[in-house]
Amino acid sequence: MRILVIRWGTLQSLPPAISLIQLLKSLNHHVDVLCNDPRSVFYGSEEPDGMYDLGSYAKVGAAGHLVSRLSSVLGLRRFLKQHIDDYEIVWTTSDNSAVYCCDLIPPEKHVMQLSELVEHVPLLGSKGLFASKAIIKQAQKAKRVVVPEINRAYIQRVYWSLPQVPCVLPNRPRYTSFEELLDVSKQTHFPSRLAETDKYTVLYQGVFTPDRNLRPYCEAVQKLGDEYQFCLMGTPNAYSDQLCSEYSNTFCIGRFEPPAHLLAAQYADLGVLPYSSRGERVAHLSPLNAIYCAPNKIWEYAFAGIPMIANELPGLKMTFDVAGIGLTVPEGDIDAIARAIDAIVRNGSSFRKRCEAFYASVDMASIIEGILS
């Protein structure tokens, strides 16, 4: 089957899209990729057949970012007008990958994957005033709508009056062992404070935005004393800088490109998922996006076999309770966080076994075959 995967943005900023490409190739499909800044991405033995560049994807606020993004949208539409008949499936990997081109994709060819929970998808900015109606109409007729979490599937159906519940494709990496990342490992060097320590290490990987309530975790690690440290991994900003300056046991190692970011977890004892229940709106995403979150990190931490701590949110609590891969705590309860960290450290081996079983429980290839059928 000839498949075009579209990512409006960089692949490095959406690791599940990289996993998707690898899995499609492992199933012997012809896969072309249309994305911005297609710099070197590690695919292992599963390189796409064709890679087409949509140009620079400038950050909001950068000089000329509107011109740059308009140019890439025009390039996206031009490519589809010329080549849409070459493909049996067009797989868009996020709402913004679909919103500017869905009118050019025959619905019966379109697999519309939504990486986040959205009620409105804006054509400009992040306000509902400029929301696209076309993307909702396309989703109602598309071959498949795909989301990463079961609660989101039902909410998305209600938001967009979809005729069927969307398919669930978890944000699980393609890899099954660290041995598959040996080439990446040889080129990746982590700071000694993470990689060469005898302290218990609590790890957070992700962005530093208002919906990630990290301060109580910093305070809990500080309270546990010098045997513990809290490693933040992601692109630093004023929020992460402030936390590191206030808490001596907290430090930030910056961002590592996928899949190198997966390697950091092998040095940690547990991972943190600090999503807030307060419903802060991030960009155009639904305020329920964090409450029914579908973090890559659940799967990436589980890949490394490290247990997790998360705030008590419906989606995370259900997963943790069923799979036994970690503990949930009342949001902002520093004492409860400290007790949970201590409990996980004392029972690390049993938690690790359940994390490994959880990771192995999902057959991504079979799910993708079902979506394509």
Side-chain angles (χ1 to χ4, degrees):
M1 187 177 288
R2 292 180 62 87
I3 300 172
L4 176 65
V5 175
I6 298 176
R7 165 60 176 157
W8 193 61
T10 66
L11 285 170
Q12 290 86 350
S13 65
L14 191 64
I18 299 174
S19 299
L20 169 67
I21 294 163
Q22 293 173 309
L23 286 157
L24 289 170
K25 284 300 301 175
S26 74
L27 293 169
N28 299 314
H29 295 292
H30 177 103
V31 180
D32 290 341
V33 177
L34 188 60
C35 68
N36 296 84
D37 299 325
R39 53 203 166 101
S40 179
V41 174
F42 181 81
Y43 294 104
S45 61
E46 294 149 339
E47 293 273 350
D49 296 281
M51 181 74 78
Y52 300 94
D53 187 2
L54 290 173
S56 174
Y57 188 77
K59 292 183 178 179
V60 173
H65 93 272
L66 288 176
V67 173
S68 172
R69 292 198 177 188
L70 176 60
S71 176
S72 71
V73 167
L74 293 175
L76 166 60
R77 293 183 62 82
R78 185 165 52 248
F79 183 94
L80 285 174
K81 288 176 181 178
Q82 293 172 354
H83 299 287
I84 190 69
D85 292 337
D86 297 341
Y87 300 100
E88 297 161 83
I89 294 291
V90 178
W91 191 309
T92 54
T93 55
S94 60
D95 58 79
N96 67 346
S97 300
V99 70
Y100 298 116
C101 65
C102 59
D103 60 307
L104 300 175
I105 306 171
E108 66 274 12
K109 289 187 176 186
H110 195 176
V111 175
M112 185 187 294
Q113 185 169 2
L114 302 171
S115 57
E116 307 289 354
L117 184 61
V118 289
E119 186 172 4
H120 307 290
V121 182
L123 291 165
L124 180 66
S126 59
K127 304 298 183 183
L129 178 64
F130 303 105
S132 168
K133 296 180 180 178
I135 192 173
I136 297 175
K137 291 179 180 178
Q138 178 78 345
Q140 291 167 346
K141 298 176 182 178
K143 177 181 177 65
R144 298 282 187 272
V145 176
V146 178
V147 300
E149 194 266 347
I150 188 63
N151 292 292
R152 285 191 184 183
Y154 285 92
I155 296 170
Q156 196 69 59
R157 185 185 192 189
V158 171
Y159 276 169
W160 286 2
S161 300
L162 300 176
Q164 295 180 332
V165 178
C167 302
V168 175
L169 180 66
N171 287 332
R172 180 189 185 275
R174 163 78 174 99
Y175 307 105
T176 56
S177 70
F178 281 113
E179 283 70 27
E180 296 173 74
L181 297 172
L182 281 178
D183 290 342
V184 176
S185 180
K186 292 173 184 176
Q187 303 171 34
T188 305
H189 304 284
F190 294 104
S192 58
R193 189 169 179 183
L194 171 66
E196 302 171 20
T197 182
D198 56 359
K199 295 184 178 184
Y200 295 116
T201 299
V202 180
L203 176 66
Y204 168 72
Q205 294 179 309
V207 296
F208 304 109
T209 52
D211 63 332
R212 314 293 169 95
N213 190 11
L214 286 161
R215 185 174 295 277
Y217 291 87
C218 294
E219 294 192 13
V221 172
Q222 194 79 13
K223 182 175 182 177
L224 286 166
D226 290 338
E227 287 184 298
Y228 292 81
Q229 61 179 9
F230 190 17
C231 176
L232 308 180
M233 183 174 169
T235 302
N237 61 12
Y239 180 30
S240 63
D241 290 346
Q242 183 180 16
L243 295 174
C244 292
S245 68
E246 291 182 20
Y247 301 98
S248 60
N249 289 9
T250 297
F251 62 101
C252 182
I253 62 172
R255 184 177 186 274
F256 289 77
E257 294 284 9
H261 71 299
L262 296 172
L263 300 169
Q266 64 188 317
Y267 301 110
D269 295 282
L270 63 153
V272 165
L273 298 118
Y275 293 86
S276 170
S277 64
R278 292 192 294 270
E280 292 94 340
R281 187 177 289 277
V282 176
H284 66 283
L285 308 183
S286 166
L288 297 178
N289 189 62
I291 294 173
Y292 292 100
C293 55
N296 306 351
K297 297 301 161 237
I298 286 183
W299 298 100
E300 292 172 351
Y301 292 150
F303 168 68
I306 65 168
M308 303 156 226
I309 294 178
N311 293 337
E312 284 183 347
L313 300 176
L316 292 176
K317 182 170 174 55
M318 179 176 70
T319 301
F320 281 28
D321 287 352
V322 171
I325 57 175
L327 299 173
T328 57
V329 294
E331 185 175 348
D333 190 329
I334 297 166
D335 290 336
I337 294 170
R339 289 194 298 270
I341 293 172
D342 180 64
I344 287 177
V345 166
R346 285 188 288 104
N347 298 280
S349 60
S350 59
F351 275 109
R352 283 180 179 273
K353 289 177 182 177
R354 291 194 290 272
C355 286
E356 291 165 1
F358 172 72
Y359 189 81
S361 68
V362 173
D363 185 343
M364 295 286 284
S366 292
I367 296 173
I368 289 175
E369 285 182 322
I371 290 169
L372 294 174
S373 64

